[in-house]
Amino acid sequence: MQRLFLGVSPTKQQVNQLSDIQSRLGAAGHKGYGRPVNCNNFHMTLAFLGQTDNASLARLIEAIDVIAGTHGWTKFSISLDTLTLWRKPQVLCLSAPSLTQESLNPKLFSAVERCQTIIDSIQSKPQLTSSAENGPERLTKPHLHFTPHITLLRKAKLLPKQTLLQMGLAWVTLNPSQMHLYQSVSGERGVEYHILHSWPLV
């Protein structure tokens, strides 16, 4: 069994931006801001699969390949401009508003919905996840619950009083060219996210 999710990665420049935000929060000197996520783990989740066996993994890859080879996976853009604290999983994220309706971001909405439709087709029943790495998201009707975000800090208990603008920092706009299938692996250095497969966004 492998713990899997679909998502996209920031560029190297954006990784530096995200690391800078972490540093600014750390410089504030308040322990309640949390523990920085390893910059190699920065990502935005599109859909979470959880523990997945090899047969389901094969069906997932085949289904995504079919779309990639016919209609293609459409590019999208999303601006993450708000520091958000999720108290239950204790994570501090850089986020955008929840995707409550298609008109807010049709292309991202379509990508999330396609991913979830494929996952639903290979899983026997809906699942609910509130993991720290992916936030509190229900895996049914993702357009009603999906919040675009990148996790910056874990074990976070306080929301910074300053906005990115007040901190003198720019928000991050993702324009990914690929969608990735990630595996979450726990090791001596903590959790690491490994890319197993990638598909172009066109």
Side-chain angles (χ1 to χ4, degrees), residues 1 8 24 38 40 47 75 89 96 161 163 172 175 184:
M1 299 288 283
V8 296
R24 294 291 185 93
N38 187 317
N40 294 323
K75 281 186 176 180
K161 295 181 180 179
T163 64
V172 172
N175 296 285
S184 177

Side-chain angles (χ1 to χ4, degrees), residues 110-123:
S110 176
V112 172
E113 197 162 46
R114 276 183 169 184
C115 288
Q116 192 58 53
T117 297
I118 291 173
I119 291 172
D120 288 345
S121 72
I122 66 172
Q123 292 181 336

Side-chain angles (χ1 to χ4, degrees), residues 44-61:
M44 187 182 84
T45 300
L46 295 177
F48 185 71
L49 289 90
Q51 296 294 340
T52 306
D53 59 32
N54 289 336
S56 296
L57 172 59
R59 291 197 299 271
L60 173 78
I61 293 173

Side-chain angles (χ1 to χ4, degrees), residues 4 8 15 30 50-51 59 65 76 79 87-88 91 97 106-107 109 115 122-124 137 158 164 169 183 191 193 196:
L4 306 175
V8 296
V15 168
H30 200 302
Q51 296 294 340
R59 291 197 299 271
D65 282 345
F76 60 83
S79 292
R87 297 187 183 279
K88 188 173 181 180
V91 294
K107 293 181 179 179
F109 183 100
C115 288
I122 66 172
Q123 292 181 336
S124 59
E137 318 231 304
L158 295 177
L164 289 179
L169 298 167
Q183 179 185 12
V191 176
Y193 302 137
L196 301 182

